[in-house]
Amino acid sequence: MSNDIYTSPLTGRYSSMEMQKLFSLRNRFSTWRQLWLWLAESQKELGLDISDKAIDQMKANLTVQDDEFKLIADEEKRTRHMGKRACLWIQDLLMDLRNIERARSDLRFRGVKGTTGTQASFLAIFNGDHEKVERLDELVTRKAGFESAFIITSQTYSRKVDVDVISALASFGCTCERIGGDIRHLASMKEMEEPFEKDQIGSSAMAYKRNPMRSERLCSLGRLLKNRATDAMDTYSGQWFERTLDDSANRRITIPESFLAADACLILLTNITASLVLYPAVINKRIQEELPFMATENILMALVDQGISRQEAHEQIRVLSHEAAAEVKIEGKPNDLIDRIKKTEFFKPIWQQLPHLLDPVSFTGRAGQQVLKFTTEGGEVDAALKRYKVDLERVHVGELTV
């Protein structure tokens, strides 16, 4: 085991060896082999042509050996299962950046306060010289890289600090789950896909599927991260007077795993957004399907401009819209609302305007201008990231571990 990477205290200190073995890689992969053996045996019993030799080979290799783990990992890697919308994601991420920056800048050192926070032992060392005690506190605080230290502490720094920091990370977790959910919904409508390798397997059961594996993992880790805030809050509120040790085991897990989960989410976000694929033809098809209903307000206003009663126009549009919707929902037919409007004399005054009233661009408002103002040089994104320019130049799309 490497001493340079994080290991969970649950495995290192608290849980039994039997439970650790139950969730080990060897037991996980070996269990899959046992399941495949049971499946093959059952299929053979039902008449499928599976040789006794194949069954014997499976039985002889039920337990995964040490030298097989690299082969398994390599195979898993090989077969791993918009402007305005993206700006909405970025805007939420900028709020997370603000929260994290704020939590970081608010951090203060506990300082040299002694066992109970009174500095009594240091006062004794310096023969009652309060100025030297304070100077010592300041020197160590500066050496530790902090601008200031808490004046008041007990045996520890206040666990309220953990609440502030982990809440900022948890808020980022919420954003990750939201972004992952949006991508999954768009993928289900075939308007967008996350990166997909040439020979990637989207589903081991259904060969045609291209599951958004990365976004699903992003949602999962985001959900894990956002729920860490509750642990921090419960630990803080459950402190008795100065301190009780019931915070120790929880914090050993909550604090490092909050940062590790946030790091994993960032890696996923970088990987996903680097190669998102859009399908304009599918998007346009969906727009055209919904456009007639979207345009009813424009049509209504055009009729009113022609001097027609708004109430009467509304009723005519309502009737035709419900008829068209029934065709779509019940009969599974295309949306024919515009054809119905073209065949109804009531709408004749605005027939010539229909191409303009149905222009999709008319529904985007100032979205294009908003995106440019938000993302171009001098905009909010540029201003927020300017201080991280050097760091961003080192960012690369990390390889995901399945």
Side-chain angles (χ1 to χ4, degrees):
M1 179 183 296
S2 173
N3 290 317
D4 296 318
I5 61 174
Y6 170 77
T7 56
S8 173
L10 283 175
T11 58
R13 299 170 65 100
Y14 303 126
S15 61
S16 67
M17 188 59 66
E18 291 79 7
M19 186 62 72
Q20 293 180 45
K21 287 182 177 179
L22 180 63
F23 289 97
S24 68
L25 287 176
R26 194 186 311 279
N27 191 57
R28 182 195 309 173
F29 291 124
S30 298
T31 299
W32 276 110
R33 290 186 175 183
Q34 179 66 69
L35 289 169
W36 283 114
L37 172 62
W38 290 335
L39 176 63
E41 289 176 335
S42 300
Q43 290 173 330
K44 181 178 176 64
E45 291 173 14
L46 293 173
L48 290 185
D49 185 16
I50 300 176
S51 67
D52 290 335
K53 182 179 179 180
I55 297 292
D56 291 340
Q57 287 178 337
M58 296 176 76
K59 288 181 178 179
N61 293 280
L62 283 179
T63 302
V64 177
Q65 303 303 310
D66 290 341
D67 59 352
E68 295 180 277
F69 283 104
K70 185 179 186 304
L71 296 175
I72 293 172
D74 290 343
E75 179 64 12
E76 286 284 0
K77 288 180 180 179
R78 190 183 69 83
T79 59
R80 68 178 56 144
H81 318 311
M82 194 175 352
K84 182 66 180 286
R85 174 62 53 192
C87 282
L88 290 171
W89 299 338
I90 294 171
Q91 184 163 261
D92 290 347
L93 288 170
L94 290 182
M95 294 171 68
D96 293 320
L97 178 61
R98 176 205 64 195
N99 293 340
I100 292 171
E101 288 177 336
R102 182 183 297 161
R104 182 177 180 177
S105 65
D106 285 348
L107 283 176
R108 299 168 69 186
F109 198 43
R110 179 180 181 267
V112 182
K113 299 297 191 299
T115 306
T116 61
T118 64
Q119 297 179 306
S121 58
F122 296 105
L123 190 62
I125 291 173
F126 288 112
N127 299 315
D129 190 330
H130 290 271
E131 186 175 338
K132 281 190 176 180
V133 172
E134 290 199 5
R135 182 60 181 151
L136 175 67
D137 201 355
E138 292 171 0
L139 286 171
V140 177
T141 297
R142 297 296 181 188
K143 289 178 182 292
F146 288 84
E147 294 184 1
S148 65
F150 287 105
I151 297 174
I152 303 296
T153 72
S154 60
Q155 294 183 45
T156 66
Y157 67 82
S158 171
R159 298 317 186 206
K160 188 75 171 179
V161 175
D162 297 346
V163 173
D164 286 351
V165 173
I166 294 176
S167 291
L169 297 177
S171 179
F172 169 62
C174 293
T175 304
C176 292
E177 186 175 8
R178 165 66 190 280
I179 293 173
D182 281 353
I183 294 174
R184 292 166 66 191
H185 280 107
L186 291 169
S188 72
M189 295 185 288
K190 298 180 174 59
E191 294 186 9
M192 173 188 286
E193 279 185 342
E194 63 180 30
F196 201 88
E197 304 298 336
K198 181 180 179 182
D199 56 354
Q200 179 177 330
I201 296 175
S203 169
S204 59
M206 292 167 278
Y208 70 91
K209 294 188 72 175
R210 294 176 61 140
N211 291 344
M213 175 273 290
R214 295 164 173 82
S215 299
E216 290 171 342
R217 185 185 299 183
L218 182 62
C219 288
S220 182
L221 288 171
R223 190 177 310 131
L224 172 73
L225 179 53
K226 76 177 183 182
N227 287 320
R228 284 292 184 239
T230 301
D231 286 332
M233 292 177 184
D234 287 346
T235 296
Y236 163 69
S237 61
Q239 294 289 287
W240 292 7
F241 299 119
E242 283 77 20
R243 184 198 182 200
T244 55
L245 281 173
D246 65 342
D247 73 340
S248 179
N250 186 291
R251 293 177 69 253
R252 289 179 191 273
I253 298 170
T254 298
I255 295 175
E257 293 197 356
S258 293
F259 282 91
L260 289 169
D263 182 62
C265 286
L266 285 168
I267 292 172
L268 279 165
L269 277 174
T270 303
N271 185 280
I272 293 169
T273 56
S275 302
L276 275 177
V277 180
L278 298 179
Y279 295 105
V282 178
I283 295 172
N284 183 64
K285 180 176 179 291
R286 184 171 177 80
I287 289 174
Q288 295 305 320
E289 290 173 350
E290 300 298 328
L291 194 58
F293 294 139
M294 294 166 58
T296 54
E297 182 66 21
N298 287 355
I299 293 171
L300 176 63
M301 297 306 296
L303 289 169
V304 172
D305 287 343
Q306 293 292 324
I308 297 173
S309 164
R310 188 185 190 284
Q311 184 174 353
E312 186 177 0
H314 184 279
E315 178 62 18
Q316 290 284 339
I317 293 173
R318 186 190 69 80
V319 171
L320 295 187
S321 296
H322 287 189
E323 291 175 353
E327 291 288 302
V328 173
K329 297 174 184 177
I330 299 174
E331 303 295 333
K333 295 180 179 180
N335 190 334
D336 65 352
L337 175 58
I338 301 304
D339 289 335
R340 292 173 183 272
I341 288 174
K342 289 179 179 178
K343 295 175 183 177
T344 304
E345 282 291 320
F346 178 83
F347 295 93
K348 187 174 181 178
I350 55 96
W351 282 348
Q352 297 298 320
Q353 299 181 46
L354 285 176
H356 170 69
L357 297 175
L358 291 167
D359 183 359
V361 176
S362 67
F363 296 93
T364 63
R366 298 193 65 257
Q369 289 80 2
Q370 291 171 349
V371 168
L372 288 174
K373 183 177 181 180
F374 184 61
T375 60
T376 53
E377 186 175 355
E380 287 187 28
V381 177
D382 182 58
L385 299 183
K386 188 168 293 185
R387 63 184 295 189
Y388 302 104
K389 183 178 180 180
V390 175
D391 300 291
L392 289 172
E393 289 175 352
R394 297 199 301 265
V395 171
H396 66 281
V397 179
E399 182 178 340
L400 300 186
T401 302
V402 180

